[in-house]
Amino acid sequence: MFRRHSLDVTDILHSDGTNLLAVLVHPPDHPGRIPPEGGQGGDHEIGKDVTTQYVEGWDWMAPIRDRNTGIWDEVSISVTGPVKIIDPHLVSTFSDDYKKAYLHTTTELENRSSLTAECSLSVQVTTELEDSICLVEHLQTQDLSIPANSAVQYTFPELFFSKPNLWWPNGMGKQSLYNVVIVIDVKGFGESDSWSHHFGFRKIESHIDDATGGRLFKVNGKPIFIRGGNWILSDGLLRLSKKRYNTDIKFHADMNFNMIRCWGGGLAERPEFYHYCDYYGLLVWQEFWITGDVDGRGDPVSNPNGPLDHDLFLFSARDTVKLLRNHPSLALWVGGNEQVPPDDINAALKNDLRLHPYFESVEENSKPVGDWSPMSTDFSQYLDGTRIYIQGSMWDGFADGKGNFTDGPYEIQNPEDFFKNHFYNYGFNPEVGSVGMPVAATIRATMPSEGWQIPVFKKLPNGYVEEVPNPIWEYHKYIPYSKPTKVHDQIQLYGDAKDLDDFCLKAQLVNYIQYRALLEGWTSRMWSKYTGVLIWKTQNPWTGLRGQFYDHLLDQTAGFYGCRCAAEPVHVQLNLATYLIEVVNTTAEEMSNVAIEASVWDLDGTCPYYRVHENFSLLPKKVAPIFKMKYPESKDPKPVYFLLLKLYNMSDNRVISRNFYWLHLSGGDYKLLEPYREKKIPLKITSKVSIEECTYNIQMLVANTSKRPASTSSTARLSDGFYGTHSLETLACGVGIEQKSSWFKRIHRCFAGKSDGLKVTEISGPDVGVAFFLHFSVHTSKMDHNEGKDTRILPVHYSDNYFSLVPGETMPINISFEVPLGVTPRVILHGWNYDGGEIICEVV
């Protein structure tokens, strides 16, 4: 399954007629059976073959009945001359603190003719400037002879680049890519073959960090705190496409993630997957096809020696390395999931994937960053040589580093627990997961009406609740929102769920809090306790009901936006265990002259707590506790309240980070939010639509127009941040900082300067308060659909969603999507205070 085949069909083609290609396919040799109790990888028989193991089912996936029998990757015809270019290898090295770069290139050349080939071999490196205008950085040509019916390996002289544009992961800088083209001309024939590939100048290193015990990654000499997720594959039936990959990877970048782990029971991902990881800046952890569940550590124990054909496994592994090694996003190879490969395979992989000495991680300050000494073997002559090989996902700086089952947990947690020191004891967690309920429209679109029944909430003698889902949800691997004896049902904190819509909406509230807290808790101990975390998992290859930030139909859950908030490069957050307000700076730049504004809003629309902490600095790659949010300690705090945090630059009032919480007092719940639904908060939405072919881009300004408390001079703020009820009428609560941001001003000028294409939608309401949990969706304009008919247009990219606005606050939202020809889209706004949805924009 994981090796390429290249078949010379020159002599059997009919050049003057139609040619048909017939392919005989077989299922895996050991398809196995599924025990009545299910299990991880069924009866594990699939592990005897070199193939995907998930097809026998997992705790997040139903079995694939035909085990994906058949052709699963592309089949294509290529035409070459007598000499063919095979698997070039591109490697970059650096000196002078990354101001100088060198491109090393080796390729195999195969002469399939019966004559010696006199060749001219060239390599060209270009970079795109703008609007498809390319700059040729290098063009080098070499002459050589290749004997008849033979293959040779050729290494170009290195190419030198001064001040190259470096490739950086998402959140660290630009993903600069060069295009490398290799062409071979044969005397008497002309161009025989060509090859091209995007390439990024970057260096990835890692070592086990002394302070945390976790593996610490560096890119171009800069440490990177890993926040990412586990990936299975786009589609369980292997209906893979470039377009789907683009959406998948952009979604991960939109969540501000910087790493994807390709799990060992799935695929060696295709080059198109890696192309988009290169483009969007997602580092990739690529595993080979071993899992502990199937290969020696499962229940029952089976296949301790892994697949039966070790030679095939190694051939496939080496072929995969050659296929993927030129992608700058590829960060490391790993032998297997929660298991190491059999001894002979592991030893062979360690040898084949050994690092060139230049790429071995060294102690700080032991040599100049990026400097290297010439070696007898060129960098590009290694099978890889640039990326570390780790024998298993819980070894050598991951989990406990010794292979014990120390990843996880995989269920609902109390949000504050993520911030506590006892929650996870190792420096880098490769798998930690939780819930993943999609929106109600997805349930209706993917399940019969019997599957629209919400769980029964069974009260236990110990006061906890056990959720009993319907059989269809059980089949789809639903994870409950309660954990009896440890976690009270997080959906019931908002009151009893009335129906599917109510249940799924409340699930989105929990999803947002759960995953924001997970990432904020890890980031709170950046470098002091942790070096990284990968969430299990980011998506589902089928219509599953667990561990996902967007469903199989490509609609995002609120957890998507909780992650997007928590993982932004510079972030203000509330430590839910200590109530300290912290600022995280994951960038390499120091930030000075910044300030934090913290405001509490109650359900009556007043602001009983306000504090500004001004003129402080943020060191690079650091977490800084700033001050404690003391509203819960004040006299008569409200049992449920909202907290808005803003980090902004004092020189221009530009908002750097914004974070909105809904909170309850210790031991309480959110049930007061239920009557808050009846409040009608006025909104004004200004939208502008641009259309290019089938792609729509909608810019919106969403404003909460309810009357905010009257302002006073900022000098009147009290040092402890508390205000008595008598001062609420004149409280300077919130200064509309975002209205002065460069983004807001730019969009505002765009709206103010033109009236064409603008639409203003006003939603009236008499109440004052927070417009809570607003979220957009895009639909076809026809409304005469049967119940359960899905009218959504998917996928849609939102700059933000599931957001809230305090009185007087305005937020810009960008929405982009494609529609089929003949379809008229409409944008609908939903929210806690806007049951049923409001049509905001219909494009005719």
Side-chain angles (χ1 to χ4, degrees):
M1 182 174 183
F2 301 122
R3 58 164 295 187
R4 295 168 294 167
H5 298 264
S6 180
L7 308 173
D8 189 346
V9 296
T10 305
D11 296 336
I12 62 173
L13 286 179
H14 298 286
S15 60
D16 57 351
T18 300
N19 292 271
L20 300 179
L21 176 67
V23 180
L24 180 63
V25 300
H26 300 270
D29 294 336
H30 302 89
R33 294 180 179 274
I34 311 304
E37 66 275 14
Q40 311 290 76
D43 63 2
H44 307 160
E45 282 292 290
I46 198 74
K48 291 182 168 64
D49 300 327
V50 183
T51 185
T52 53
Q53 298 182 359
Y54 75 88
V55 291
E56 273 208 67
W58 231 265
D59 59 4
W60 43 265
M61 178 79 177
I64 305 296
R65 294 182 182 274
D66 74 340
R67 307 296 190 262
N68 282 334
T69 299
I71 296 172
W72 69 280
D73 200 1
E74 72 172 8
V75 178
S76 60
I77 291 179
S78 60
V79 180
T80 69
V83 178
K84 184 178 181 181
I85 298 169
I86 300 174
D87 294 330
H89 188 198
L90 311 175
V91 175
S92 57
T93 59
F94 303 91
S95 64
D96 194 17
D97 197 18
Y98 295 91
K99 295 182 182 70
K100 299 176 181 177
Y102 308 86
L103 177 62
H104 308 262
T105 307
T106 294
T107 186
E108 184 179 345
L109 303 168
E110 183 181 10
N111 180 4
R112 296 184 174 184
S113 73
S114 58
L115 300 174
T116 297
E118 301 297 332
C119 303
S120 175
L121 183 65
S122 66
V123 58
Q124 176 180 281
V125 183
T126 61
T127 182
E128 185 172 328
L129 299 178
E130 59 181 29
D131 298 329
S132 300
I133 299 174
C134 293
L135 172 68
V136 178
E137 296 268 359
H138 277 286
L139 176 60
Q140 184 187 93
T141 302
Q142 304 290 321
D143 295 328
L144 70 157
S145 297
I146 305 176
N149 299 310
S150 65
V152 300
Q153 181 175 279
Y154 181 81
T155 300
F156 285 90
E158 67 184 36
L159 299 178
F160 169 70
F161 295 76
S162 178
K163 297 181 180 178
N165 297 318
L166 299 179
W167 184 93
W168 292 97
N170 188 30
M172 291 186 73
K174 292 183 178 180
Q175 290 75 54
S176 299
L177 294 171
Y178 293 75
N179 193 38
V180 179
V181 179
I182 299 174
V183 177
I184 188 161
D185 289 286
V186 176
K187 187 176 181 181
F189 180 86
E191 183 177 310
S192 181
D193 199 7
S194 64
W195 176 93
S196 66
H197 204 288
H198 282 106
F199 180 75
F201 284 99
R202 64 96 181 96
K203 182 181 180 183
I204 296 178
E205 303 166 277
S206 68
H207 65 274
I208 297 176
D209 177 50
D210 289 338
T212 64
R215 184 159 292 274
L216 192 154
F217 287 87
K218 289 185 177 182
V219 180
N220 303 329
K222 306 293 185 183
I224 175 173
F225 188 71
I226 298 297
R227 292 176 294 189
N230 286 267
W231 165 274
I232 308 302
L233 66 165
S234 276
D235 180 72
L237 299 179
L238 300 180
R239 297 166 292 187
L240 308 179
S241 71
K242 187 174 181 179
K243 186 174 183 179
R244 173 83 185 209
Y245 274 144
N246 186 10
T247 299
D248 280 320
I249 305 308
K250 187 178 189 308
F251 275 174
H252 285 74
D254 287 347
M255 286 187 282
N256 290 312
F257 285 173
N258 53 30
M259 180 176 276
I260 295 177
R261 174 192 172 212
C262 292
W263 173 74
L267 292 178
E269 276 300 345
R270 299 299 87 195
E272 294 83 359
F273 171 93
Y274 275 94
H275 166 76
Y276 288 112
C277 288
D278 296 342
Y279 184 81
Y280 291 114
L282 274 297
L283 297 171
V284 184
W285 158 333
Q286 180 67 60
E287 286 179 5
F288 296 111
W289 316 288
I290 295 287
T291 69
D293 301 280
V294 171
D295 297 295
R297 304 186 79 179
D299 182 15
V301 172
S302 54
N303 307 317
N305 202 32
L308 298 179
D309 193 336
H310 288 200
D311 289 339
L312 175 61
F313 187 99
L314 286 170
F315 186 96
S316 301
R318 292 166 184 142
D319 195 57
T320 296
V321 172
K322 292 176 183 178
L323 177 68
L324 302 178
R325 63 190 176 185
N326 293 316
H327 289 278
S329 57
L330 179 54
L332 72 158
W333 304 103
V334 178
N337 165 63
E338 299 178 337
Q339 176 64 303
V340 299
D343 290 345
D344 59 324
I345 293 178
N346 195 33
L349 290 174
K350 284 182 178 180
N351 179 67
D352 290 348
L353 297 173
R354 66 191 183 280
L355 290 172
H356 187 286
Y358 168 77
F359 292 96
E360 293 176 353
S361 185
V362 295
E363 295 298 322
E364 297 286 343
N365 304 319
S366 64
K367 69 176 182 180
V369 173
D371 284 358
W372 60 276
S373 301
M375 306 297 294
S376 58
T377 302
D378 187 89
F379 305 91
S380 59
Q381 292 177 8
Y382 280 58
L383 178 62
D384 186 328
T386 68
R387 301 168 180 89
I388 196 167
Y389 168 74
I390 303 294
Q391 59 185 343
S393 66
M394 300 186 299
W395 278 259
D396 303 321
F398 300 119
D400 74 349
K402 302 174 183 178
N404 296 307
F405 284 102
T406 46
D407 47 7
Y410 303 95
E411 61 266 317
I412 192 75
Q413 305 294 324
N414 292 308
E416 64 272 15
D417 288 349
F418 291 113
F419 294 83
K420 296 177 179 177
N421 284 327
H422 63 75
F423 182 73
Y424 188 73
N425 294 322
Y426 306 103
F428 193 121
N429 193 343
E431 295 183 15
V432 56
S434 190
V435 292
M437 192 67 190
V439 298
T442 293
I443 298 297
R444 292 192 174 96
T446 58
M447 298 180 189
S449 57
E450 296 85 349
W452 303 356
Q453 300 300 312
I454 66 175
V456 174
F457 294 90
K458 182 180 177 182
K459 192 72 175 288
L460 301 178
N462 61 5
Y464 287 85
V465 166
E466 177 186 0
E467 291 186 15
V468 183
N470 67 65
I472 294 177
W473 285 23
E474 281 192 334
Y475 178 79
H476 287 262
K477 314 296 185 179
Y478 173 75
I479 283 186
Y481 283 70
S482 65
K483 189 167 129 184
T485 75
K486 292 187 177 180
V487 182
H488 286 285
D489 194 284
Q490 297 295 289
I491 287 178
Q492 286 210 319
L493 290 181
Y494 297 89
D496 293 335
K498 302 176 183 64
D499 52 27
L500 180 65
D501 291 290
D502 193 37
F503 180 90
C504 289
L505 178 59
K506 289 172 177 173
Q508 300 317 309
L509 290 165
V510 181
N511 290 345
Y512 193 105
I513 289 177
Q514 184 79 180
Y515 285 108
R516 177 178 60 181
L518 189 159
L519 285 179
E520 288 183 340
W522 244 270
T523 309
S524 180
R525 273 79 55 81
M526 179 176 70
W527 313 133
S528 62
K529 187 174 182 180
Y530 301 129
T531 60
V533 60
L534 299 176
I535 298 174
W536 183 268
K537 34 189 196 28
T538 58
Q539 46 76 246
N540 264 312
W542 76 308
T543 53
L545 299 180
R546 65 166 61 197
Q548 60 186 356
F549 298 128
Y550 57 94
D551 59 47
H552 194 51
L553 303 182
L554 298 176
D555 199 354
Q556 300 96 327
T557 72
F560 182 107
Y561 298 97
C563 288
R564 178 181 175 85
C565 172
E568 58 187 346
V570 181
H571 181 63
V572 60
Q573 65 183 39
L574 179 70
N575 185 312
L576 295 178
T578 65
Y579 271 47
L580 285 171
I581 293 174
E582 304 168 335
V583 180
V584 180
N585 181 9
T586 66
T587 74
E589 304 298 324
E590 181 175 353
M591 306 184 72
S592 59
N593 196 30
V594 296
I596 289 177
E597 179 189 73
S599 58
V600 167
W601 297 81
D602 61 26
L603 300 185
D604 296 320
T606 59
C607 183
Y609 175 91
Y610 180 80
R611 181 170 176 180
V612 173
H613 186 90
E614 297 181 321
N615 199 21
F616 63 94
S617 297
L618 299 173
L619 295 175
K621 307 287 182 181
K622 296 291 185 182
V623 179
I626 306 300
F627 63 88
K628 187 174 183 180
M629 198 280 289
K630 295 183 177 181
Y631 174 71
E633 302 172 11
S634 65
K635 184 179 180 181
D636 298 324
K638 299 296 177 68
V640 176
Y641 59 96
F642 304 112
L643 172 67
L644 177 61
L645 302 179
K646 293 181 183 177
L647 175 72
Y648 62 96
N649 191 310
M650 294 185 65
S651 61
D652 59 4
N653 282 333
R654 176 178 57 88
V655 171
I656 302 167
S657 173
R658 176 190 183 277
N659 203 347
F660 181 89
Y661 295 83
W662 53 103
L663 300 162
H664 61 72
L665 297 181
S666 179
D669 56 42
Y670 295 111
K671 290 178 181 177
L672 286 177
L673 285 175
E674 187 64 36
Y676 188 73
R677 279 179 161 180
E678 301 303 316
K679 283 211 168 191
K680 302 305 176 187
I681 310 299
L683 292 177
K684 180 179 180 181
I685 299 107
T686 307
S687 56
K688 180 180 181 181
V689 180
S690 61
I691 307 172
E692 185 174 340
E693 296 181 346
C694 293
T695 300
Y696 287 69
N697 189 283
I698 303 176
Q699 294 175 296
M700 292 187 173
L701 290 176
V702 186
N704 179 343
T705 56
S706 65
K707 187 178 180 182
R708 65 187 307 136
S711 297
T712 62
S713 168
S714 60
T715 56
R717 298 167 184 158
L718 303 181
S719 60
D720 64 2
F722 295 114
Y723 290 85
T725 54
H726 64 280
S727 66
L728 290 178
E729 295 303 314
T730 58
L731 175 60
C733 191
V735 293
I737 295 165
E738 74 288 350
Q739 296 184 21
K740 300 179 183 179
S741 73
S742 59
W743 189 19
F744 179 93
K745 288 191 290 185
R746 185 167 64 251
I747 295 175
H748 184 74
R749 283 197 299 269
C750 175
F751 286 159
K754 285 185 177 181
S755 59
D756 294 344
L758 285 183
K759 177 177 180 179
V760 177
T761 302
E762 296 196 51
I763 301 172
S764 60
D767 296 315
V768 176
V770 170
F772 183 52
F773 216 53
L774 305 174
H775 51 285
F776 289 104
S777 59
V778 183
H779 298 256
T780 59
S781 61
K782 294 181 180 179
M783 300 301 289
D784 56 343
H785 292 286
N786 297 327
E787 184 181 9
K789 181 71 174 179
D790 194 3
T791 64
R792 289 172 297 171
I793 293 173
L794 298 170
V796 181
H797 298 279
Y798 304 92
S799 62
D800 205 355
N801 221 354
Y802 295 97
F803 60 96
S804 303
L805 297 173
V806 303
E809 191 177 22
T810 303
M811 181 177 290
I813 301 290
N814 273 8
I815 304 175
S816 62
F817 54 92
E818 293 183 10
V819 298
L821 289 173
V823 172
T824 301
R826 64 170 50 180
V827 179
I828 297 178
L829 175 69
H830 309 265
W832 195 253
N833 310 103
Y834 310 93
D835 189 31
E838 302 279 349
I839 298 174
I840 303 304
C841 181
E842 184 167 351
V843 185
V844 180

